[in-house]
Amino acid sequence: MGSARFNRATSNSRSSSYFGSPKMINPRKHRSTSSIFALTATFLILSLFLALGCVLYLLLFPTLLAEEDVTFDFIDRNSSCNLFEGNWIRDGSDPLYNSSTCPFVEGGFNCLANGRKDAEYLKWKWKPRQCQIPRFDVNKTLESLRGKRVVFVGDSMSRTQWESFICMLMAGVPDQSSVYEVNGNKISKTIRFLGVRFGSFNFTVEFFRSVFLVQPGSPPRHGPRRVKSTLKLDKMDDISAKWVDSDVLVFNSGHWWNPVKLFDLGCYFQVGGSVKLGMTIPAAFKIALETWASWVETAVDTGRTRIFFRTFEPSHWSDPLGEGCQAKREADPGPKVPNEPEFLGIINEVVARMRAPVTILNVTMMGEVRSDAHIGPWGDLRPMVDCSHWCLPGVPDAWNEIVFFLLANGRFTSLNSQS
């Protein structure tokens, strides 16, 4: 039967071909050709959808970024980016706060209110060379600080950073009356402790004045007459116990470590019961910093507390006595060589040997090129000129943006990597 079918098919094929009829299509070949057409059509349709999807993704991606929680994802935690190597770039956005409406800015730091006419110094933003710091998100930061205690310890530069920190946060507080100084004190350089509570968010931001971090004291009996006081390099400041129970600790020291603040006032260094009349300031600074490092490792719960040490900020006096000021109208393109690299080396050396994780805020180079942002003649003690401190808003806001970023990017309690 199979043979008969085959013959009939062959006969029919021949007959059709002979009379010029259309060529008969093989069913198997037809199915194969149809499959190829179907696959090709499917591939083209999928490619079209893929292309459209890519176009839509590229068009909508910026919007998606704005909507999602990516504020602190600009730098990978394993990135080698140095946040403190970069340049100041012109930025058209408004300052993060108004110093005239923030009650925690000292009058002497409010340069615009004190008669400064130009506002060019407010139009610069710090840009690291190999990465980007996102603009400060005040609402997210306020939420992250709930129930926390933030403590600044140091000299007047630390107090300036503390004031900036508070004013940046106040910009996101609906009820300004819920933010207050815990003892009802007015901000003053003469008060050794200042604490501001954010009642609605249940956290405090505090400042302790300790310009050397170690303990000042009276000279030993029968000491040289020129010794009016001493700096006990092997003992922490007697208020250091008040810094311990905190979630964030930001230290600085450096500006008072100079002959005018020490030797000219009869203050010399002491270790144990011995006064070291011939000890140099850098040598003494290193011993004091080692005392601080030992205290951190033994007194502070580094499983809870995130610790920062901010380097000194260069001043721009044109002479050692502070009688001339080199303030400019605009930021320099930078970078420049810091004025006191020896202190930087000491800080890096001491911190590198610590077992406790400490983040160095190396702001020295950042400030070296910003002579335009000093208070200059626009303080509250005119005709005195100030080429050490900074106008607010200003350079200290950039330090705090970095601090806020590092806290958020490190999940606040993560202390396993230094930045």
Side-chain angles (χ1 to χ4, degrees):
M1 184 178 290
S3 176
R5 282 199 300 267
F6 176 76
N7 290 336
R8 280 197 297 269
T10 304
S11 175
N12 290 338
S13 176
R14 286 176 180 173
S15 175
S16 298
S17 298
Y18 182 82
F19 287 103
S21 300
K23 192 171 183 178
M24 187 176 225
I25 298 174
N26 189 321
R28 292 180 181 176
K29 188 180 292 187
H30 174 70
R31 285 195 296 269
S32 176
T33 305
S34 299
S35 299
I36 292 173
F37 280 130
L39 287 173
T40 303
T42 302
F43 176 79
L44 290 174
I45 292 171
L46 289 174
S47 299
L48 180 62
F49 275 111
L50 182 61
L52 289 173
C54 289
V55 172
L56 289 173
Y57 178 81
L58 292 174
L59 290 174
L60 296 177
F61 183 65
T63 304
L64 293 173
L65 275 182
E67 293 175 354
E68 292 181 1
D69 182 11
V70 295
T71 305
F72 300 113
D73 292 339
F74 281 65
I75 299 176
D76 189 277
R77 293 188 186 116
N78 297 319
S79 171
S80 59
C81 173
N82 188 331
L83 294 170
F84 306 99
E85 289 183 356
N87 296 91
W88 293 91
I89 59 173
R90 294 191 68 84
D91 181 65
S93 58
D94 293 330
L96 296 171
Y97 57 90
N98 183 339
S99 54
S100 293
T101 59
C102 180
F104 301 102
V105 171
E106 292 177 54
F109 297 162
N110 189 351
C111 297
L112 292 178
N114 291 330
R116 184 164 184 170
K117 301 301 182 184
D118 72 287
E120 291 300 308
Y121 70 98
L122 297 173
K123 299 178 180 179
W124 297 87
K125 181 177 178 62
W126 178 251
K127 172 66 174 66
R129 189 168 294 118
Q130 297 179 340
C131 48
Q132 181 179 348
I133 301 171
R135 186 169 174 82
F136 174 58
D137 188 324
V138 63
N139 295 319
K140 185 171 296 182
T141 306
L142 284 166
E143 288 297 331
S144 72
L145 290 174
R146 280 188 183 275
K148 308 295 184 184
R149 181 178 179 234
V150 182
V151 173
F152 288 82
V153 180
D155 53 31
S156 57
M157 301 297 182
S158 183
R159 192 177 69 250
T160 307
Q161 185 180 7
W162 171 79
E163 294 177 21
S164 162
F165 194 96
I166 293 169
C167 292
M168 289 172 70
L169 292 174
M170 282 196 68
V173 178
D175 181 9
Q176 299 282 292
S177 65
S178 66
V179 184
Y180 55 91
E181 205 285 321
V182 293
N183 293 318
N185 290 318
K186 185 177 180 181
I187 308 305
S188 168
K189 64 184 68 177
T190 61
I191 299 178
R192 202 167 187 202
F193 167 76
L194 291 163
V196 170
R197 180 167 181 77
F198 286 72
S200 301
F201 295 89
N202 188 32
F203 70 85
T204 59
V205 185
E206 304 169 22
F207 166 70
F208 289 87
R209 179 178 172 83
S210 179
V211 299
F212 298 110
L213 303 182
V214 291
Q215 188 177 128
S218 302
R221 291 184 179 182
H222 311 298
R225 294 186 61 182
R226 59 176 168 159
V227 180
K228 308 300 182 184
S229 62
T230 63
L231 201 56
K232 298 178 181 179
L233 303 177
D234 54 348
K235 293 185 177 181
M236 284 295 288
D237 198 325
D238 56 6
I239 60 172
S240 59
K242 298 180 180 180
W243 313 336
V244 174
D245 186 24
S246 57
D247 297 280
V248 181
L249 266 173
V250 184
F251 294 94
N252 96 289
S253 186
H255 288 277
W256 282 62
W257 293 86
N258 64 70
V260 174
K261 299 289 188 180
L262 291 165
F263 303 149
D264 290 0
L265 298 177
C267 182
Y268 291 84
F269 307 121
Q270 180 178 341
V271 178
S274 176
V275 177
K276 308 294 183 179
L277 294 176
M279 182 176 286
T280 65
I281 290 177
F285 180 74
K286 183 177 181 180
I287 295 174
L289 212 59
E290 290 171 339
T291 299
W292 165 83
S294 177
W295 173 84
V296 167
E297 293 180 337
T298 57
V300 179
D301 178 6
T302 55
R304 168 192 174 184
T305 307
R306 182 74 186 263
I307 304 168
F308 298 90
F309 193 101
R310 182 172 51 77
T311 63
F312 64 91
E313 314 86 67
S315 60
H316 293 85
W317 297 104
S318 56
D319 65 86
L321 298 178
E323 295 179 355
C325 186
Q326 294 178 327
K328 297 181 179 180
R329 288 286 182 175
E330 288 194 359
D332 295 323
K336 290 184 176 181
V337 178
N339 292 329
E340 301 175 80
E342 190 170 16
F343 274 21
L344 282 176
I346 293 171
I347 294 169
N348 287 328
E349 179 185 347
V350 171
V351 171
R353 293 200 306 264
M354 295 178 66
R355 296 186 304 274
V358 174
T359 300
I360 297 177
L361 300 173
N362 188 358
V363 304
T364 304
M365 191 69 73
M366 294 172 63
E368 185 69 25
V369 296
R370 290 304 312 273
S371 65
D372 64 304
H374 282 303
I375 292 173
W378 300 287
D380 57 351
L381 298 176
R382 285 174 284 185
M384 292 180 62
V385 176
D386 187 341
C387 238
S388 294
H389 297 90
W390 307 96
C391 297
L392 290 180
V395 170
D397 305 333
W399 310 339
N400 284 328
E401 283 190 278
I402 293 175
V403 170
F404 287 131
F405 170 76
L406 289 173
L407 289 175
N409 203 48
R411 299 190 301 272
F412 196 90
T413 56
S414 175
L415 304 172
N416 296 324
S417 61
Q418 295 185 31
S419 302

